[in-house]
Amino acid sequence: MRAMLNLYNTLTRRRDAFEPLEPGIVKLYTCGPTVYNVAHLGNFRAYIFEDILRRTLEYRGYRVVQVMNLTDVDDKTIRGAIAAGISLDAFTQQFKDAFFEDLKTLRIKPAEHYPAATAHIPDMIALIERLIERNHAYVADDDSVYFNIASYPAYGRLARLDLSSLQPGTRVAHDEYAKDNVADFALWKAWDADDGDVAWDSPWGRGRPGWHIECSAMCMRYLGETFDIHTGGIDNIFPHHEDEIAQSEAATGKPLARYWLHCAHLIIDGQKMSKSLGNFHTLRDIVAMGFRGREIRYLLASAHYRQTLNFTFDALHAVRSALDRIDTFRQRLQQVAGGITVSQETALPDWAQNTAAKFDQAICDDLNTAAAYGALFETIHEGNRLMDGGRVSDRDAAAVLTMFDRWDRVLAIMTPDADATTVNGAEDPVIAGLLEQRQAARQGKNFKESDRIRDLLRDKGWIVRDTPAGQELKRAHITSDRHSLDGSIACAQ
Ligand SMILES: [Zn+2]
């Protein structure tokens, strides 16, 4: 008997039984990164939740068509490109490359499509034209186009907004705004000096799309006007997803997505991650400290996705022993199995049937990974006890190994990392950029600057040495002096 897959739907505020529109296929849209910097741990928590969702759907026998957009034009990317003094394309490309490397480090399965916003401007313009035709959008005095919230009574349904105090006709031009600032939002922004040389032609003059219309245009382009699941972080509920629903449904008259799933925040040592607190970590920072992608993935998936996850270095150290237990148990099973392999259909021993059912229930209960880990360790505990007494047959051991392989299609944590170095320093754009800056400083005899960059690299986990052949980069190893008395690691600033 198989458990029914239930998913908590932000739209209905309850766990809904999942049924795709089309039998056997799930169309999934996951809001992707804004490529203006290297993604941080909180971002990756959401991408791992989406990966577990995708893998669970596949585990249930569905074929998944996943689209993850790359926001490569918005307020933040334009600001970043101008500050760096390079083109928007060159600025965002380095972070796109870094993002795909990081996905690999964390064993996140690739989506079927990664549409970039800049490659879909005509789709966005067409959608805005449709909204203007249907009187849901208007061109303002400055030639920007705004969505008319008053024209769409369902506005606020996802975020459960109280719109009683809404002032018709007030406008907000920025991509991000708060709930107390609900107003007509920009679909198309007329060029202004803040945009530098970033602009496209449109029926309303030169300009660029707003962030929200990008996702509407790209999800409908690849998945149709109504699809199954739309996900993101809880930060996305308002205004991003509220606006996406309004624009899309006002244009088509059809529901956009049937299930809306949102991942909770990640906090670090009990506090919000922020640059000023010095607890802002990218995946690369953590890998540079000597931790593996597998370990970070395990920790980021260890809490249920709708619970706030508290990331601590103590917990990350504890993951090592958890993974050791898994590895040792699997090795022990392999010894007992003695080379026998069995199919998925082979009956499990009684003691594993119980935990097999628990695992399936856990993962089908709104992707409860914490309970799935519980079922995994219960199996290990019971299996070890029985193997100690010599009471596990070769066939039973093989059947449990096969079950672990099946579970790992969802969890992707059981096989050790293939290589010791998951992020190569020279391929990391941030590290490579620092090396270039340091070389330029040395050529200009600016040794103070060159020393400053050397220290910065050390903080990021890399030792740079000057040799006759140039700079040589080596990974710094975690040593006990990086542990403070309470066991946490002193982190890079
Ligand atoms: Zn989005």
Side-chain angles (χ1 to χ4, degrees):
M1 193 192 71
R2 292 179 79 198
M4 166 92 82
L5 175 60
N6 289 300
L7 299 172
Y8 183 86
N9 189 349
T10 306
L11 207 53
T12 58
R13 299 294 197 273
R14 59 162 197 250
R15 279 178 168 77
D16 287 334
F18 177 72
E19 268 315 325
L21 276 169
E22 206 180 317
I25 298 179
V26 180
K27 295 187 176 170
L28 167 66
Y29 188 83
T30 50
C31 279
T34 300
V35 280
Y36 75 112
N37 64 7
V38 175
H40 59 66
L41 276 186
N43 302 134
F44 283 112
R45 185 199 182 186
Y47 302 135
I48 284 181
F49 139 65
E50 287 153 354
D51 185 55
I52 301 263
L53 170 63
R54 179 196 168 102
R55 287 168 175 274
T56 298
L57 291 164
E58 289 177 342
Y59 181 77
R60 303 279 303 181
Y62 294 113
R63 182 165 76 79
V64 177
V65 180
Q66 182 187 358
V67 177
M68 179 179 276
N69 67 297
L70 303 170
T71 299
D72 60 353
V73 54
D74 79 325
D75 297 350
K76 290 189 270 199
T77 43
I78 291 174
R79 261 200 314 266
I82 290 172
I86 53 177
S87 73
L88 184 66
D89 276 357
F91 179 73
T92 57
Q93 189 59 49
Q94 57 187 330
F95 300 117
K96 289 179 190 172
D97 295 343
F99 178 68
F100 288 118
E101 265 181 45
D102 288 352
L103 292 185
K104 268 193 218 145
T105 301
L106 289 174
R107 308 177 177 198
I108 292 174
K109 279 191 156 189
E112 278 62 29
H113 305 280
Y114 289 102
T118 51
H120 294 79
I121 304 288
D123 292 312
M124 296 163 203
I125 291 175
L127 183 57
I128 297 168
E129 284 186 306
R130 220 164 143 189
L131 286 165
I132 294 175
E133 270 164 35
R134 297 181 69 140
N135 292 318
H136 288 294
Y138 59 91
V139 185
D141 298 344
D142 68 347
D143 296 333
S144 292
V145 184
Y146 286 86
F147 184 86
N148 177 6
I149 289 188
S151 76
Y152 184 70
Y155 191 85
R157 199 173 36 141
L158 182 72
R160 305 267 163 114
L161 300 178
D162 172 16
L163 298 177
S164 53
S165 60
L166 184 68
Q167 299 284 318
T170 51
R171 287 177 210 147
V172 55
H174 293 293
D175 286 332
E176 288 174 277
Y177 51 93
K179 281 184 184 175
D180 54 11
N181 194 18
V182 174
D184 291 354
F185 56 88
L187 301 170
W188 185 262
K189 301 181 188 194
W191 181 90
D192 68 23
D194 290 345
D195 291 339
D197 60 0
V198 177
W200 287 265
D201 286 324
S202 82
W204 320 286
R206 305 269 297 159
R208 59 160 173 122
W211 171 37
H212 315 299
I213 198 77
E214 296 180 4
C215 277
S216 285
M218 291 187 281
C219 64
M220 291 199 283
R221 164 84 146 151
Y222 289 89
L223 300 176
E225 292 182 349
T226 301
F227 54 91
D228 297 300
I229 310 177
H230 194 310
T231 70
I234 49 172
D235 285 350
N236 290 145
I237 295 174
F238 185 84
H240 187 51
H241 290 167
E242 192 69 60
D243 291 355
E244 249 188 79
I245 290 175
Q247 300 156 159
S248 310
E249 300 189 0
T252 66
K254 297 175 196 161
L256 180 62
R258 299 168 69 228
Y259 302 85
W260 289 80
L261 273 57
H262 294 99
C263 177
H265 286 294
L266 176 100
I267 54 173
I268 309 266
D269 291 325
Q271 288 178 297
K272 201 172 176 235
M273 181 163 35
S274 82
K275 292 219 160 97
S276 58
L277 287 173
N279 67 356
F280 187 94
H281 303 297
T282 65
L283 175 66
R284 282 138 195 267
D285 296 334
I286 309 286
V287 169
M289 289 173 192
F291 292 102
R292 300 296 190 74
R294 179 194 184 200
E295 295 164 341
I296 301 164
R297 176 182 175 94
Y298 182 102
L299 184 57
L300 291 179
S302 63
H304 183 252
Y305 75 92
R306 287 194 294 115
Q307 308 275 334
T308 300
L309 174 67
N310 186 21
F311 181 98
T312 68
F313 284 97
D314 278 352
L316 195 49
H317 278 286
V319 164
R320 286 209 169 148
S321 42
L323 289 173
D324 269 354
R325 274 188 79 197
I326 296 173
D327 292 349
T328 309
F329 181 69
R330 290 178 77 236
Q331 281 159 12
R332 215 175 158 189
L333 285 174
Q334 276 157 2
Q335 275 168 6
V336 173
I340 294 184
T341 53
V342 298
S343 74
Q344 299 282 355
E345 286 71 38
T346 305
L348 287 161
D350 288 350
W351 56 273
Q353 274 176 22
N354 181 32
T355 52
K358 279 186 187 172
F359 181 93
D360 277 9
Q361 265 164 19
I363 212 73
C364 293
D365 177 20
D366 194 30
L367 317 175
N368 191 342
T369 46
Y373 281 7
L376 175 66
F377 283 101
E378 202 179 317
T379 312
I380 291 175
H381 179 80
E382 195 55 16
N384 275 330
R385 196 178 65 80
L386 292 166
M387 280 193 284
D388 288 345
R391 286 185 287 147
V392 175
S393 71
D394 50 1
R395 211 177 158 73
D396 286 352
V400 175
L401 275 172
T402 302
M403 175 178 79
F404 268 43
D405 289 345
R406 193 171 69 240
W407 289 358
D408 206 39
R409 283 169 23 205
V410 177
L411 301 176
I413 48 154
M414 291 197 203
T415 50
D417 286 298
D419 56 338
T421 311
T422 40
V423 175
N424 179 322
E427 286 172 8
D428 180 329
V430 175
I431 303 296
L434 285 171
L435 281 178
E436 266 175 43
Q437 285 175 32
R438 185 167 179 274
Q439 192 180 352
R442 288 181 66 78
Q443 277 165 357
K445 307 246 181 272
N446 184 349
F447 295 111
K448 209 174 143 196
E449 174 66 0
S450 124
D451 287 351
R452 187 189 71 81
I453 298 170
R454 181 198 61 205
D455 292 347
L456 202 60
L457 282 164
R458 198 183 50 217
D459 287 344
K460 289 183 181 298
W462 296 95
I463 307 286
V464 63
R465 284 200 317 151
D466 297 299
T467 71
Q471 303 182 92
E472 193 186 273
L473 194 65
K474 275 174 80 174
R475 185 178 290 276
H477 290 285
I478 299 176
T479 53
S480 53
D481 64 3
R482 296 192 72 160
H483 294 258
S484 60
L485 285 174
D486 66 354
S488 62
I489 289 183
C491 301
Q493 295 305 302

